[in-house]
């Protein structure tokens, strides 16, 4: 089986420091274009494990991009 790398993610959330999500997308290019379009500065990126509706890990990650 192909080894899953840490930078593998299924979605990207662009959010502010308070956790307000501006956009959810699947492409880093789209996320960066969104930030540029809205003059948002990326201040942090973090991979978090995705949970299903039952709170179980799905073995997928979501990339959280924090902006200001």
């Amino acid at each position: 089986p192909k080894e899953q790398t840490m930078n593998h993610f299924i979605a990207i959330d662009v959010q502010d420091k308070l956790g307000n999500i501006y956009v959810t997308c699947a492409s880093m290019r789209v996320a960066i274009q969104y930030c540029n379009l809205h003059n948002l500065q990326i201040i942090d990126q973090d991979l978090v494990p995705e949970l299903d509706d039952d709170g179980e890990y799905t073995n997928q990650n979501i990339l959280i991009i924090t902006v200001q």
Side-chain angles (χ1 to χ4, degrees), residues 51-68:
L51 301 175
D52 65 18
D53 291 339
D54 298 322
E56 301 293 323
Y57 292 109
T58 64
N59 293 324
Q60 300 285 348
N61 294 309
I62 298 174
L63 178 63
I64 306 293
I65 296 178
T66 306
V67 296
Q68 65 181 14

Side-chain angles (χ1 to χ4, degrees), residues 16-55:
D16 64 18
K17 287 188 254 188
L18 299 175
N20 299 307
I21 296 173
Y22 294 122
V23 67
T24 299
C25 58
S27 161
M28 193 65 175
R29 183 176 298 140
V30 171
I32 290 171
Q33 285 180 334
Y34 180 89
C35 292
N36 290 341
L37 184 67
H38 295 279
N39 269 341
L40 297 169
Q41 179 186 358
I42 296 173
I43 56 173
D44 193 25
Q45 296 183 40
D46 196 23
L47 278 175
V48 296
E50 183 195 44
L51 301 175
D52 65 18
D53 291 339
D54 298 322

